[in-house]
């Protein structure tokens, strides 16, 4: 742990002699000892090493935007719905500021987090019984897993009755979509602090957890449901776990062919290829990792002209469309040959990971929102031409559709119309409707039910709501209170890799 040691203000305290005055100055003010303050007030919950204990890790990589001044606000006021108390009555403003600076400073060196540390963190709580159906009557294929980041819980929702079956705590700050086993029975969650939790949907109980990294990005499950891959920023590794008992199967040090280390941006399941595909943040390589056979867990390196880190795969997983870090250029790589087959520039940072696929005018196309401009780009998957750029009310993050609906829904959560969803007609590529679930409140992230007949939209606030609409008439059907429902995932759509959802 790096400790920020006290330093003293050495500026002259008596300067007034210059104008013939005598000034009696007070003693020099010592700056707060942030390391000591951390040990006294934070270490018990967040760990002496800042890697987290009952509270989350306090590293800038994990805190994301809650660094500097914003970290100070949390230290002062505490966090609602967590055990984090406010310290404004206990600590002086300069002490809070020093602590905020301390937790916003990266560790001098990253502690080892290899197979031994991962294994030591593994906890299995319950051995799932053999079952041929769930313990409840609801259709297991039409359940939704709702991730509620407002108070770090997840809800299992009956998609027919639109009623919660259960709600349970998760680790702090889940990120990315939870991943399901091919039968839809088990679901895996990942937190930014690197915890992977396995949950048995059929018995509504947690199976266990393991900490696969210190700062993780996302997870993927192999097509056979046997392996979970974890993409890490800290340490720079790709970890493969047994999906059954979460034991470590491989820890792959992420380095390019020349040995240069890289953060792993994300990992995906390339189902038809029986492999994982990983995006490297810092080196111009894409990795494909077979999950069985002689070359299991040995990365195949695909060299690219620059690092690509946000991916969309065509439905056959024959090509990956990736965007460069600054979003200025996007490249299409053939998964078979590893060669770049197309390159184009899309303005305003496309969010390819939220892209959806569908047919338009008889052609296979994909549509992607843009993070920095109110646009949707529609790209033909047969010749990689941009067939339409559709203006929206503002930049958005997510997009969703379903095979059984002619509409795709997108949000404007990153712009002035953050409270409004917009609906694209996939036949005409025109925006045909705008819906504001709760004026002034952020609306984002959509999921369809199994049939494509209902649409669930998040009011992305704490407290927030799920607002459910008829997918054909857009009539509102129901509201369910939720704590910042950041994402919801329909079991059927996910295990069938619906073209309308992210994978
Ligand atoms: Fe995400 C998915 C990367 C910030 C909420 N996000 C993903 C995925 C990636 C990614 C690679 C696909 C993984 C998967 O589902 O397996 N996200 C990034 C970033 O690089 C970025 C821009 C910066 C970062 O801090 O990591 C980022 N993401 C955010 C947020 O700020 C969001 C809005 C709030 C949050 O919870 O952090 C956010 N990301 C999500 C969600 C998904 C996601 C809800 C799953 C989408 C889905 O429907 O599948």
């Amino acid at each position: 742990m790096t400790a920020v040691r006290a330093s003293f203000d050495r500026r002259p305290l008596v300067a007034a002699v210059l104008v013939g005055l005598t000034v009696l100055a007070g003693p020099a003010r010592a700056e707060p000892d942030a390391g000591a303050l951390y040990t006294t007030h934070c270490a018990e919950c967040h760990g002496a090493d800042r890697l987290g204990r009952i509270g989350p890790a306090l590293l800038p990589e994990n805190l994301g935007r809650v660094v500097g001044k914003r970290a100070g606000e949390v230290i002062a006021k505490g966090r609602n719905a967590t055990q984090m108390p406010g310290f404004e009555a206990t600590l002086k403003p300069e002490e809070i500021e020093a602590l905020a600076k301390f937790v916003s400073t990266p560790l001098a060196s990253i502690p080892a987090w290899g197979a031994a540390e991962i294994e030591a963190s593994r906890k299995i709580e319950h051995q799932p019984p053999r079952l041929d159906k769930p313990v409840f009557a609801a259709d297991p294929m039409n359940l939704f897993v709702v991730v509620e980041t407002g108070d770090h819980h997840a809800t299992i929702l009956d998609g027919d009755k639109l009623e919660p079956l259960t709600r349970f705590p998760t680790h702090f700050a889940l990120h990315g979509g939870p991943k399901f086993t091919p039968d839809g029975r088990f679901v895996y969650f990942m937190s930014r602090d690197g915890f992977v939790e396995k949950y048995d949907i059929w018995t509504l109980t947690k199976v266990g957890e393991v900490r696969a990294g210190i700062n993780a990005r996302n997870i993927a499950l192999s097509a056979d449901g046997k392996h979970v891959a974890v993409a890490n920023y800290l340490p720079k590794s790709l970890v493969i776990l047994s999906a059954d008992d979460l034991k470590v199967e491989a820890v792959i040090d992420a380095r390019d062919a020349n040995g240069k280390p890289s953060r792993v941006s994300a990992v995906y399941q390339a189902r038809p290829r029986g492999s994982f595909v990983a995006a490297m943040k810092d080196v111009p390589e894409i990795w494909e990792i077979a999950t069985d056979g002689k070359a299991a867990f040995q990365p195949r390196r695909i060299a690219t002209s620059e690092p690509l880190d946000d991916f969309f795969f065509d439905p056959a997983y024959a090509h990956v469309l990736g965007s460069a870090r600054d979003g200025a250029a996007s490249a299409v790589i053939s998964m078979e040959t590893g060669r770049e087959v197309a390159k184009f520039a899309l303005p305003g940072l496309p969010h390819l990971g939220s892209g959806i696929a569908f047919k338009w005018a008889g052609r296979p196309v994909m549509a992607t929102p843009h993070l920095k401009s109110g646009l949707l780009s529609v790209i033909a998957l047969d010749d990689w031409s941009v067939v339409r750029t559709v203006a929206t009310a503002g930049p958005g993050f997510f997009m969703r559709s379903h095979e059984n609906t002619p509409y795709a829904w997108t949000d404007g959560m990153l712009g002035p119309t953050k409270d409004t969803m917009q609906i694209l007609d996939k036949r005409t590529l025109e925006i045909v409707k705008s819906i504001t679930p709760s004026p002034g409140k952020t609306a984002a992230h959509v999921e369809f039910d199994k049939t494509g007949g209902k649409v669930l939209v998040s009011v992305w606030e704490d407290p927030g709501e799920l607002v459910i609409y008829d997918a054909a008439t857009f009539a509102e059907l129901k509201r369910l209170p939720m704590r910042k429902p950041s994402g919801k995932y329909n079991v059927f759509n996910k295990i069938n890799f619906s073209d309308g959802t992210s994978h």
Side-chain angles (χ1 to χ4, degrees):
M1 191 178 77
T2 27
V4 175
R5 295 281 159 225
S7 64
F8 296 91
D9 187 350
R10 297 180 196 283
R11 281 172 300 176
L13 294 167
V14 184
V17 284
L18 291 174
V19 286
L21 294 171
T22 303
V23 174
L24 292 178
R29 183 169 69 81
E31 274 184 23
D33 181 341
L37 287 168
Y38 181 87
T39 305
T40 310
H41 300 285
C42 319
E44 187 178 341
C45 294
H46 297 281
D49 51 11
R50 291 170 48 199
L51 299 189
R53 279 187 72 226
I54 56 168
L58 297 182
L59 306 173
E61 295 86 347
N62 297 46
L63 291 168
R65 287 185 289 268
V66 190
V67 286
K69 205 165 160 232
R70 288 182 69 179
E73 284 160 18
V74 175
I75 297 167
K77 304 274 179 218
R79 249 191 204 279
N80 269 343
T82 72
Q83 292 175 47
M84 172 69 188
F87 285 87
E88 63 187 345
T90 326
L91 297 175
K92 295 182 196 136
E94 61 270 23
E95 291 176 323
I96 291 177
E97 196 186 320
L99 268 177
K101 197 171 159 197
F102 183 75
V103 299
S104 306
T105 306
L107 291 178
S109 63
I110 299 305
W113 204 264
E117 290 78 13
I118 298 171
E119 177 57 22
S121 72
R122 193 172 67 93
K123 291 182 206 140
I124 297 295
E125 294 181 10
H126 129 259
Q127 284 299 343
R130 279 182 184 280
L131 292 175
D132 48 23
K133 59 181 177 43
V135 295
F136 46 80
D139 175 1
M141 288 295 117
N142 201 24
L143 300 175
F144 290 86
V145 173
V146 186
V147 172
E148 295 176 68
T149 51
D151 64 348
H152 313 288
H153 276 66
T155 291
I156 308 289
L157 187 70
D158 174 342
D160 294 317
K161 291 189 177 161
L162 297 172
E163 286 169 4
L165 291 178
T166 189
R167 188 170 190 274
F168 52 92
T170 67
H171 271 279
F172 181 83
L174 296 188
H175 181 237
K179 300 293 165 1
F180 297 87
T181 47
D183 60 1
R185 173 168 175 181
F186 298 101
V187 62
Y188 299 80
F189 301 94
M190 187 222 72
S191 76
R192 288 196 186 252
D193 282 356
F195 288 93
V196 177
E197 297 176 82
K198 177 175 179 179
Y199 186 83
D200 181 357
I201 298 178
W202 286 15
T203 61
L204 301 177
T205 47
K206 179 171 168 176
V207 178
E209 67 175 45
V210 68
R211 190 172 189 181
I214 294 171
N215 178 236
R217 299 287 299 159
N218 81 323
I219 53 174
L221 198 73
S222 60
D224 58 10
K226 290 187 179 161
H227 313 280
V228 182
V230 188
N232 283 327
Y233 268 5
L234 292 180
K236 294 170 181 170
S237 65
L238 185 74
V239 172
I240 314 282
L241 305 169
S242 152
D244 179 35
D245 57 9
L246 303 177
K247 277 194 177 145
V248 187
E249 295 182 316
V251 179
I252 309 169
D253 203 15
R255 288 174 188 278
D256 71 4
N258 301 316
K260 183 179 171 202
S262 174
R263 293 169 289 173
V264 184
S265 280
V267 60
Y268 304 88
Q269 180 206 124
R271 185 163 65 156
R273 302 179 61 81
S275 61
F276 291 122
V277 176
M280 297 290 144
K281 183 85 178 167
D282 308 309
V283 296
E285 283 184 6
I286 294 173
W287 284 8
E288 181 170 34
I289 300 121
T291 53
D292 55 19
K294 267 198 191 151
F297 310 146
Q298 313 279 330
R300 165 193 168 212
R301 297 171 190 278
I302 300 173
T304 55
S305 50
E306 56 193 314
L308 300 173
D309 75 348
D310 184 21
F311 285 1
F312 171 85
F313 293 89
D314 61 7
Y317 283 79
H319 298 93
V320 57
L321 174 53
S323 63
R325 206 178 304 171
D326 57 5
S330 300
V332 182
I333 314 284
S334 156
M335 287 303 301
E336 207 43 53
T337 64
R339 293 212 189 96
E340 191 176 289
V341 296
K343 194 159 195 167
F344 42 81
L346 295 174
L349 200 58
H351 192 209
L352 299 174
S354 289
I356 59 165
F358 56 97
K359 283 258 168 63
W360 172 74
R363 296 175 75 182
V365 296
M366 68 85 69
T368 177
H370 291 235
L371 298 171
K372 290 194 177 163
S373 55
L375 294 176
L376 299 174
S377 287
V378 184
I379 298 163
L381 298 175
D382 48 11
D383 67 0
W384 305 106
S385 59
V386 179
V387 294
R388 190 76 63 87
T389 304
V390 183
T392 62
F397 207 91
F398 301 108
M399 190 163 186
R400 276 283 205 276
S401 187
H402 189 282
E403 284 75 354
N404 297 340
T405 174
Y407 303 112
W409 294 52
T410 190
D411 60 80
M413 75 181 286
L414 302 175
T417 55
K418 63 177 189 159
D419 60 0
T420 299
M421 305 297 301
Q422 293 206 293
I423 301 170
L424 176 84
D425 188 322
K426 295 189 287 185
R427 298 161 296 193
T428 58
L429 301 184
E430 277 168 14
I431 300 288
V432 289
K433 177 99 183 154
S434 296
I435 291 182
T436 305
S438 289
K441 296 189 174 169
T442 303
H445 199 278
V446 170
E447 179 70 309
F448 285 77
D449 72 342
K450 174 175 105 171
T451 64
K454 291 185 198 120
V455 184
L456 281 64
V457 177
S458 289
V459 173
W460 187 298
E461 304 276 353
D462 187 25
E465 286 177 297
L466 281 189
V467 187
I468 297 123
Y469 296 91
D470 182 301
T473 65
F474 311 136
E476 184 179 318
L477 302 176
K478 189 165 184 173
R479 286 182 182 238
L480 292 168
M482 296 273 163
R483 302 288 301 269
K484 201 174 192 187
S486 68
K488 54 215 105 47
Y489 307 87
N490 178 272
V491 172
F492 181 86
N493 295 342
K494 283 291 164 190
I495 66 177
N496 287 294
F497 281 58
S498 162
D499 283 348
T501 73
S502 50
H503 294 171

